[in-house]
Every structure is written in C-alpha cells, then in structure tokens.
Coordinates of all heavy atoms in Angstrom, one line a residue:
M1 N 193.3 -58.1 83.6 CA 192.9 -59.4 84.2 C 191.6 -60.0 83.7 O 191.5 -61.2 83.5 CB 192.8 -59.3 85.8 CG 194.1 -59.0 86.5 SD 195.3 -60.3 86.3 CE 194.4 -61.5 87.2
E2 N 190.7 -59.1 83.3 CA 189.4 -59.6 82.8 C 189.7 -60.3 81.4 O 189.0 -61.3 81.1 CB 188.5 -58.4 82.6 CG 188.1 -57.7 83.9 CD 187.1 -56.6 83.7 OE1 186.9 -56.3 82.5 OE2 186.7 -56.0 84.7
Y3 N 190.6 -59.8 80.7 CA 190.9 -60.4 79.3 C 191.4 -61.8 79.5 O 190.9 -62.7 78.8 CB 191.9 -59.5 78.6 CG 192.3 -60.1 77.2 CD1 191.5 -59.9 76.1 CD2 193.5 -60.8 77.1 CE1 191.9 -60.4 74.9 CE2 193.9 -61.3 75.9 CZ 193.0 -61.1 74.8 OH 193.4 -61.6 73.6
F4 N 192.3 -62.0 80.5 CA 192.9 -63.3 80.7 C 191.8 -64.3 81.3 O 191.8 -65.5 81.1 CB 194.1 -63.3 81.5 CG 195.3 -62.6 80.8 CD1 195.7 -61.3 81.1 CD2 195.9 -63.3 79.8 CE1 196.7 -60.8 80.4 CE2 197.0 -62.8 79.1 CZ 197.4 -61.5 79.4
D5 N 191.0 -63.7 82.1 CA 189.9 -64.5 82.7 C 188.9 -65.0 81.7 O 188.4 -66.1 81.7 CB 189.1 -63.7 83.8 CG 190.0 -63.4 85.0 OD1 191.0 -64.2 85.2 OD2 189.7 -62.5 85.7
Y6 N 188.7 -64.2 80.6 CA 187.8 -64.6 79.6 C 188.3 -65.8 78.8 O 187.6 -66.7 78.3 CB 187.6 -63.4 78.6 CG 186.6 -63.7 77.5 CD1 185.3 -63.7 77.8 CD2 187.0 -63.8 76.2 CE1 184.3 -63.9 76.8 CE2 186.1 -64.0 75.2 CZ 184.8 -64.1 75.5 OH 183.8 -64.3 74.5
F7 N 189.7 -65.9 78.7 CA 190.3 -67.0 77.9 C 190.9 -68.0 78.9 O 192.0 -68.6 78.5 CB 191.3 -66.5 76.9 CG 190.7 -65.7 75.8 CD1 190.7 -64.4 75.7 CD2 190.2 -66.5 74.7 CE1 190.1 -63.7 74.7 CE2 189.6 -65.8 73.6 CZ 189.6 -64.4 73.6
S8 N 190.4 -68.2 80.0 CA 190.9 -69.2 81.0 C 190.5 -70.6 80.6 O 189.6 -70.8 79.8 CB 190.5 -68.8 82.4 OG 189.1 -69.0 82.5
Y9 N 191.2 -71.6 81.2 CA 190.8 -73.0 80.9 C 189.5 -73.3 81.5 O 188.8 -74.3 81.1 CB 191.9 -73.9 81.5 CG 193.2 -73.9 80.7 CD1 194.3 -73.2 81.1 CD2 193.2 -74.6 79.5 CE1 195.4 -73.2 80.3 CE2 194.4 -74.7 78.7 CZ 195.5 -74.0 79.1 OH 196.6 -74.0 78.4
D10 N 189.1 -72.6 82.6 CA 187.8 -72.9 83.2 C 186.6 -72.7 82.2 O 185.7 -73.4 82.1 CB 187.6 -72.0 84.4 CG 188.6 -72.3 85.5 OD1 189.1 -73.5 85.5 OD2 188.9 -71.4 86.3
K11 N 186.7 -71.6 81.4 CA 185.7 -71.3 80.4 C 185.7 -72.4 79.4 O 184.6 -72.7 78.9 CB 186.0 -70.0 79.8 CG 186.1 -68.8 80.7 CD 184.7 -68.4 81.2 CE 184.7 -67.2 82.1 NZ 183.4 -66.8 82.6
V12 N 186.8 -72.9 79.0 CA 186.8 -73.9 77.9 C 186.2 -75.2 78.4 O 185.5 -75.9 77.7 CB 188.3 -74.2 77.5 CG1 188.4 -75.3 76.5 CG2 188.9 -72.9 76.9
T13 N 186.5 -75.6 79.7 CA 186.0 -76.9 80.1 C 184.6 -76.9 80.6 O 183.9 -77.9 80.5 CB 186.9 -77.4 81.3 OG1 186.9 -76.3 82.3 CG2 188.3 -77.6 80.8
T14 N 184.1 -75.8 81.1 CA 182.8 -75.8 81.7 C 181.6 -75.5 80.8 O 180.7 -76.2 80.7 CB 182.7 -74.8 82.9 OG1 183.1 -73.5 82.3 CG2 183.7 -75.2 84.0
G15 N 181.8 -74.4 80.0 CA 180.6 -74.0 79.2 C 180.9 -73.6 77.8 O 182.0 -73.9 77.3
S16 N 179.9 -73.1 77.2 CA 180.0 -72.7 75.8 C 180.0 -71.2 75.6 O 179.3 -70.7 74.7 CB 178.9 -73.4 75.0 OG 177.7 -73.0 75.5
E17 N 180.6 -70.5 76.5 CA 180.6 -69.0 76.4 C 181.5 -68.5 75.3 O 181.3 -67.4 74.8 CB 181.0 -68.4 77.8 CG 180.1 -68.8 78.9 CD 180.5 -68.1 80.2 OE1 181.4 -67.2 80.1 OE2 180.0 -68.4 81.3
L18 N 182.5 -69.3 75.0 CA 183.4 -68.9 73.9 C 182.7 -69.1 72.5 O 182.0 -70.2 72.4 CB 184.7 -69.6 73.9 CG 185.6 -69.3 75.1 CD1 186.8 -70.2 75.1 CD2 186.1 -67.9 75.0
E19 N 182.8 -68.2 71.6 CA 182.2 -68.4 70.3 C 183.1 -69.3 69.4 O 184.3 -69.5 69.7 CB 182.1 -67.0 69.7 CG 181.2 -66.1 70.5 CD 181.1 -64.7 69.8 OE1 181.7 -64.6 68.7 OE2 180.5 -63.8 70.4
E20 N 182.5 -69.8 68.4 CA 183.1 -70.8 67.5 C 184.3 -70.1 66.7 O 185.2 -70.8 66.3 CB 182.1 -71.4 66.5 CG 181.1 -72.3 67.2 CD 180.2 -73.0 66.2 OE1 180.4 -72.7 65.0 OE2 179.3 -73.8 66.6
E21 N 184.2 -68.8 66.5 CA 185.2 -68.1 65.7 C 186.5 -68.1 66.3 O 187.6 -68.0 65.7 CB 184.8 -66.7 65.4 CG 184.6 -65.9 66.7 CD 184.1 -64.5 66.4 OE1 183.7 -64.2 65.2 OE2 184.2 -63.6 67.3
H22 N 186.6 -68.3 67.7 CA 187.8 -68.4 68.4 C 188.6 -69.7 68.1 O 189.8 -69.8 68.3 CB 187.6 -68.3 69.9 CG 187.1 -66.9 70.3 ND1 185.8 -66.7 70.8 CD2 187.7 -65.7 70.3 CE1 185.6 -65.4 71.0 NE2 186.7 -64.8 70.8
F23 N 187.9 -70.7 67.6 CA 188.5 -72.0 67.3 C 188.5 -72.3 65.8 O 188.7 -73.4 65.4 CB 187.7 -73.1 68.0 CG 187.7 -73.0 69.5 CD1 186.6 -72.4 70.2 CD2 188.8 -73.4 70.3 CE1 186.6 -72.3 71.6 CE2 188.7 -73.3 71.7 CZ 187.7 -72.7 72.3
E24 N 188.5 -71.3 65.0 CA 188.6 -71.5 63.6 C 189.9 -72.0 63.2 O 191.0 -71.4 63.6 CB 188.3 -70.2 62.9 CG 188.2 -70.3 61.4 CD 187.9 -69.0 60.6 OE1 187.7 -68.0 61.4 OE2 187.9 -69.0 59.4
G25 N 190.0 -73.1 62.4 CA 191.2 -73.7 62.0 C 191.8 -74.7 63.0 O 192.8 -75.3 62.7
V26 N 191.2 -74.8 64.2 CA 191.7 -75.8 65.2 C 190.9 -77.1 65.0 O 189.7 -77.1 65.1 CB 191.5 -75.2 66.6 CG1 192.0 -76.3 67.6 CG2 192.2 -73.9 66.7
T27 N 191.7 -78.2 64.7 CA 191.1 -79.5 64.5 C 191.8 -80.5 65.3 O 192.8 -80.2 66.0 CB 191.1 -79.9 63.0 OG1 192.5 -80.0 62.6 CG2 190.4 -78.9 62.1
S28 N 191.3 -81.7 65.3 CA 192.0 -82.8 66.0 C 193.2 -83.4 65.2 O 193.8 -84.3 65.7 CB 191.0 -83.9 66.3 OG 190.4 -84.4 65.1

C-alpha cells in the first residue's frame, strides 16, 4: 500500500515530492 500511496494523484497535484526522473520522456 505504501508503494501505491507514493504514486497517488494527491502527490502529483499537491507537491513536488516526486523527483523529475519519474517524468523523464513525458511531455505535453
């Protein structure tokens, strides 16, 4: 459960806890 909590939508919308390497190759 901790793993899925780490990659939840709440983390994406609220803060910058995720590192940039997780979004490598993702563009608009």
Side-chain angles (χ1 to χ4, degrees):
M1 292 297 294
E2 295 179 358
Y3 178 79
F4 290 105
D5 290 341
Y6 184 72
F7 289 100
S8 65
Y9 285 103
D10 297 335
K11 300 288 184 180
V12 176
T13 54
T14 56
S16 58
E17 297 183 13
L18 293 175
E19 299 179 1
E20 293 183 359
E21 61 182 12
H22 294 110
F23 298 99
E24 184 179 355
V26 179
T27 63
S28 60

